[in-house]
Amino acid sequence: MKRVVVTGIGAITPIGNSKDEFWNGVLSGKNGIDYVTRFDTTEHRSQVGGEVKGFDGEKFMSRKEASRLPLFIQYAIAGAIMAREDAEINLDNIDPYRIGVGIGSGIGGICVMEENARALTLKGPKRVSPFFVPHEIINMASGRVSMLMNAKGPNFASVTACATSNNAIGEAYRLIQQNHVDVMFTGGTEAAITPLGYAGFDSMRAMSTRNEDPTHASRPFDKERDGFVMGEGSGIIILESLEHAQKRNANIYVEIVGCGMTADAYDMVHPRNDGEGASKAMQFALDGAKLAPQNVDYINTHGTSTPAGDSAETSAIKRLFADYAYHIPVSSTKSMTGHLLGAAGAIEFIACIGAMEHNSLPPTINLENPDPECDLDYVPNEGRSAELDVVLSNSFGFGGHNTSIALKKYNGI
């Protein structure tokens, strides 16, 4: 089995539109939550979100493409280009059938659905755009990146709600591990802050209504949390086999050493209270890495700021780690970025790499009134220094999807 390493990173997020901007933001506790500006939220219960700020698609594609392509595809293209540049990889020197792409999205081109549904209703079927289907379907982000990179190997799009991009990274890891490819562009992208996407979650009463104080709306593990805050953006990483990365003398960030995936088989939207499925995903990730729970130095939690989710994840950590759970720092970077849905796992995976690079724990901001049921070390409000050798990144999604990825600092051996 091949060893798999990370060599390139691209990030578009509510707290920065590059790897370094994102890392600086997430490690310093920068808050990216404010009022939604894309549309009028007057009639919505929730009015806050983590919008991407200052994104210019024309830096990454032609003006024509930037005017036509939905944001979820634009974010994926931008992330992939930045990852390629960061990896300093010359794809022309690689067999294109040994380069793959696996980029997921939980919701995809919902803005395209809205626009064309309106056109159909008001003006009839002839006014539906011929670009409706290719701009709406989720796999087109991965497809467009493969065209851009001339990547002719495996090409797929995972769709597992909020576990989407962790699933994509896990599948890409296994494709390299099993020697199907040498290089994978992988991660997730999302741009669902639209009238329909926003209203759907709002109607579920899943989102925070702390409208009078947006910057404190996302507050994972806090007793006064009242729901998640929707975010948007993309996280794209380049994975390579260790052998391939060494051969071209690439900069290696970290090694992926394990990935665990399970299903709760329990409820459409609620996690199991006892955290059984999530606990098993973490256990399987460590088993694959041949590591013990006591080897883990930090966990980046799914930590959505929902009452049920945060308590269940706390239970999952205790279930696996027992008393050692109280000695592991864990935090939720969603406190700063909001919840990027299908892109959440990817940017949190990137946050883990930043934490390992800088030996610095990302904080859980807005943790002012700890929930008695959430009694672990959540690195409240301010980051702190720590030597990090092994890290877990958790993502869980509607439908009971649980994914945990184990990362290890690469020591040159």
Side-chain angles (χ1 to χ4, degrees):
M1 301 286 271
K2 298 280 188 178
R3 292 169 65 184
V4 182
V5 295
V6 178
T7 59
I9 298 170
I12 301 291
T13 80
I15 59 173
N17 294 336
S18 71
K19 172 199 71 179
D20 291 329
E21 283 184 7
F22 175 59
W23 278 355
N24 290 338
V26 83
L27 295 177
S28 66
K30 182 178 179 179
N31 197 314
I33 310 303
D34 207 335
Y35 292 110
V36 169
T37 62
R38 297 268 170 78
F39 53 90
D40 184 0
T41 60
T42 302
E43 296 186 16
H44 291 73
R45 294 177 68 254
S46 180
Q47 298 171 354
V48 302
E51 294 178 328
V52 167
K53 305 160 189 73
F55 176 75
D56 182 0
E58 292 183 31
K59 290 182 179 179
F60 306 97
M61 65 203 77
S62 69
R63 178 175 297 180
K64 184 177 181 180
E65 285 185 309
S67 67
R68 281 186 175 179
L69 291 175
L71 277 176
F72 90 103
I73 295 178
Q74 291 193 46
Y75 290 162
I77 289 172
I81 290 173
M82 287 191 286
R84 180 186 62 190
E85 292 173 350
D86 185 50
E88 297 182 347
I89 188 168
N90 186 346
L91 300 177
D92 293 336
N93 294 336
I94 305 170
D95 178 355
Y97 289 97
R98 299 288 295 178
I99 307 169
V101 183
I103 297 173
S105 182
I107 295 178
I110 192 167
C111 63
V112 183
M113 292 187 214
E114 292 179 32
E115 292 166 4
N116 284 274
R118 191 179 305 115
L120 175 65
T121 301
L122 298 178
K123 300 178 180 179
K126 292 183 180 180
R127 298 306 296 270
V128 172
S129 170
F131 295 104
F132 166 57
V133 174
H135 284 176
E136 179 272 329
I137 51 179
I138 284 172
N139 65 294
M140 200 52 69
S142 192
R144 289 299 295 251
V145 169
S146 74
M147 297 169 205
L148 179 67
M149 303 300 173
N150 193 37
K152 297 181 179 180
N155 189 281
F156 68 91
S158 60
V159 186
T160 49
C162 306
T164 287
S165 47
N166 254 20
N167 275 134
I169 295 167
E171 291 302 321
Y173 158 68
R174 287 172 178 155
L175 283 167
I176 295 175
Q177 193 180 44
Q178 295 167 14
N179 198 28
H180 295 290
V181 288
D182 299 311
V183 178
M184 286 292 298
F185 287 79
T186 187
T189 185
E190 203 78 87
I193 302 180
T194 70
L196 181 59
Y198 197 85
F201 285 108
D202 199 40
S203 295
M204 291 176 66
R205 298 179 179 267
M207 298 198 297
S208 173
T209 57
R210 194 181 284 266
N211 300 321
E212 73 287 351
D213 187 12
T215 59
H216 290 84
S218 186
R219 44 196 315 113
F221 307 109
D222 190 272
K223 186 177 181 180
E224 296 179 9
R225 67 191 184 278
D226 68 332
F228 79 88
V229 174
M230 191 185 292
E232 63 173 0
S234 72
I236 308 297
I237 62 169
I238 292 179
L239 304 184
E240 295 184 57
S241 69
L242 175 60
E243 178 184 356
H244 191 273
Q246 288 175 326
K247 188 178 295 184
R248 67 179 193 87
N249 198 30
N251 174 56
I252 294 172
Y253 286 107
V254 297
E255 182 175 0
I256 300 180
V257 291
C259 178
M261 301 179 188
T262 66
D264 280 348
Y266 173 69
D267 187 86
M268 284 200 303
V269 296
H270 291 105
R272 288 180 60 101
N273 293 333
D274 61 6
E276 179 188 342
S279 177
K280 284 289 187 182
M282 290 185 280
Q283 179 187 322
F284 293 155
L286 292 176
D287 289 348
K290 295 181 172 57
L291 294 170
Q294 290 73 23
N295 294 128
V296 176
D297 300 309
Y298 167 66
I299 301 171
N300 187 291
T301 66
H302 188 55
T304 58
S305 187
T306 59
D310 293 358
S311 298
E313 188 167 10
T314 298
S315 296
I317 293 169
K318 292 178 182 178
R319 188 183 186 99
L320 175 60
F321 292 91
D323 290 343
Y324 186 65
Y326 293 94
H327 300 282
I328 308 172
V330 305
S331 67
S332 172
T333 49
K334 288 185 179 74
S335 58
M336 295 169 268
T337 65
H339 190 348
L340 271 66
L341 308 178
I347 68 159
E348 289 155 17
F349 182 95
I350 293 169
C352 288
I353 297 172
M356 297 171 82
E357 279 277 296
H358 296 278
N359 289 313
S360 181
L361 296 169
T364 304
I365 67 171
N366 298 329
L367 183 45
E368 299 165 346
N369 302 292
D371 184 339
E373 291 185 7
C374 300
D375 57 351
L376 302 179
D377 176 8
Y378 302 107
V379 195
N381 302 308
E382 292 186 3
R384 58 176 183 260
S385 298
E387 288 290 329
L388 302 177
D389 185 54
V390 176
V391 166
L392 286 179
S393 182
N394 289 343
S395 285
F396 313 131
F398 281 179
H401 305 279
N402 306 304
T403 307
S404 184
I405 299 178
L407 298 79
K408 193 173 191 302
K409 188 169 286 186
Y410 177 65
N411 58 12
I413 300 174

